Amino acid sequence: MANNLRFQVVEEAFKKRALDVEAPSERPSEYFGKYVFNREKMYKYLPKDIYDKLIDVIDNGARLDRSIADAVADGMKQWATEMGATHYTHWFQPLTEGTAEKHDAFVEHDGKGGMMENFSGKLLVQQEPDASSFPNGGIRNTFEARGYSAWDPTSPVFIIDDTLCIPTIFIAYTGEALDYKAPLLRALHSVGKAAKDVCQYFYDDVQKVQVNLGWEQEYFLVDEGLYSARPDLMLTGRTLMGHESAKNQQMDDHYFGTIPDRVQAFMKDLEIQALELAIPCKTRHNEVAPNQFELAPIFEECNLAVDHNMLLMSLMKKVARKHGFRVLLHEKPFDGINGSGKHNNWSLSTDTGILLHAPGTTPEENLRFITFIVETLMAVYHHNGLLKASIMSATNAHRLGGNEAPPSIISSFLGTQLTELLDHIEKADTNELFNLKGKQGMEIDIPQIPDLIVDNTDRNRTSPFAFTGNRFEFRAPGSSVNCASAMIALNAAMAEALTNFKRRVDEKIAEYSTRLEFSDGTGHTATFHALIDVLREDIKTCKPIRFDGNGYSDEWVKEAERRGLDVEKSCPVIFEHYLDEASIKMFEQTKVMNRKELEARNEVKWEMYVKTVQIEARVLGDLAMNHIIPVSTHYQSQLIKNVQGMKSVFSEEKANRLSARNMKLIEEIAERTERIEQLVEELTDARRIANKISDIHERAISYHDTVCPHMELIRKEADHLEMIVEDGLWTLPKYRELLFIR
């Protein structure tokens, strides 16, 4: 037993102590953005006229004048080298769910046999990474390597270690986007323009509408030694087998509980480094499952928020290893307990206020609020299948619909007050449309406790897309994904909904204006009546997407199907929504992506699905044949020797009676190991057959339909054996050891 690797790594985990983290002597506000070339540093290191032009690009969307690039690059290089940077890189987000970077030194020949530090505007603005080696869905052939990364000035450059990182888009030589950032920027531009146009009905002084995003990052921590002793965790990010612990999350004692010392040290270190990179960390706490935690920032502009989340996930992995942990971002690393999501809190704001904030003080403000609520519902209703496709993956499929996260049916929760208001507007007299209430006081009959201010909506944790006061919370995205995927789909759909809304309102206004006898006697304008008419149409149209009930119930699945919502559960089939004619039309009209880009992305999605399941199947087969069966049969041999020994000591009758339990175990082990061997063989055959399918879409479906079921059956048998085999022989760290930090 002492030689068992599992016991050695568990013992080492017990010995771990929290590292001392030396906090900066300054307040967080003083070192916030220390390693970011923010506006303060731009003003210091750039000539005034260059600074003004660059800010115009960032704030107002002015086209970047390449003539200023050399001056900007020179200022960046001066700041970066003063901070100890020796290299620079274009930092981009390919379709791998991660980030990519190629480092180059700030050096060039000086023409005199020596070297000099150099960084030109040309190098800042554009680079040429190899486009053929990243997922591209057939846009680029293997022998066609050229692709371009281009500077995104709206996301500030930053320093990691000795490298200046420049956020960029990544496109093919032929112009198609090969990343997440390019279509995200297009979607944000499209929805910003459409929302600004609609705002003119209410406020003619609105100059800009931007999308805000606040993500909530859930994650697990496990001891590095235990992680290294689990090949499945190392290679797939999740445990492919493992019987649940007798105690896991059923006592609800981990949620919001005291943060363990080692975890607190990790969080402190992570937050300091994140704040130095201008990631505005705000909230940290224990989540529901053991060893599960959450970090959330202050809301930011959507593009910057996406960049910060990608940077944070990379930073988390680095800091975790320093503290003897591995961070798990997989959506379902452990069976039987909650998985991890990344809730996307989405809203729209103008240079004058938040569009989804309510109630207003005037009928115009309330009408504005209702307009943007209803058109958001229209976007979600018309593209509910696409939104599900935008957050679906082989890993997130394990989490959704498991009575721990939103179901895999997209619906929207509004709360009683807002639901009643929409129903009222649909049917009420025009003069009695609005009755919005703000936050109300709640009296508590304890003298020392002040009255609480209650929000005008409750929360529904089973809703994938819930209104939570001044924003919608898209709860379905998984913890490991790039937020941009969901944000591209949502913002493009919103841009389409707002554009269609404005077109129909303008048609109504023109209709009312041509009716010279038109007068309602109330002072309401033709614009007001046009807005109300179109809103009433849309409230009725999008009613199927509104659901305030229990999203976990079987009844809801039947009801959702009756309403025409997408209830598909197969991940590869769900991806097909990207190629629905309605999706292609929406993406092309909003100029976010064209048909070729959408087809390529789906190729990538199906390919990534196949590769993910394929790796898991190989790892599981290896563990089954080289761990589960040998360990189980070794224990079985010990039991056989015990039975034989019984017969040499006792009478046959007594020996049979005393060894009856062991005989049952011997038989059960034999039967279960035989089934595992058979299932592994069938699993291998299923993979082999699927791999011969040339069409990647059909291959992905085959993996879902034939490979995944075999994996579940193998796991079931292995988990039973874990409970039978003597604990000292089992070499894989068990859930009770993985899930509780010492």
Side-chain angles (χ1 to χ4, degrees), residues 551-566:
Y552 294 160
S553 68
D554 294 335
E555 291 77 15
W556 168 233
V557 177
K558 298 175 183 176
E559 171 64 16
E561 189 170 14
R562 187 188 66 79
R563 294 184 183 192
L565 303 182
D566 187 272

Side-chain angles (χ1 to χ4, degrees), residues 276-344:
E276 288 177 336
L277 290 167
I279 303 172
C281 298
K282 177 73 173 177
T283 302
R284 65 188 186 199
H285 63 83
N286 289 4
E287 255 299 334
V288 175
N291 280 18
Q292 187 185 34
F293 308 94
E294 181 179 298
L295 180 153
I298 300 170
F299 286 30
E300 299 180 281
E301 185 276 324
C302 184
N303 177 46
L304 182 58
V306 169
D307 282 0
H308 278 167
N309 184 248
M310 297 303 294
L311 178 56
L312 180 91
M313 289 194 291
S314 177
L315 190 62
M316 289 172 77
K317 296 174 184 177
K318 177 182 174 182
V319 176
R321 296 194 68 173
K322 174 182 172 183
H323 290 262
F325 291 123
R326 286 300 183 106
V327 64
L328 303 180
L329 295 175
H330 193 289
E331 282 73 15
K332 191 73 170 179
F334 302 102
D335 194 40
I337 62 174
N338 281 15
S340 296
K342 178 150 50 191
H343 303 171
N344 282 203

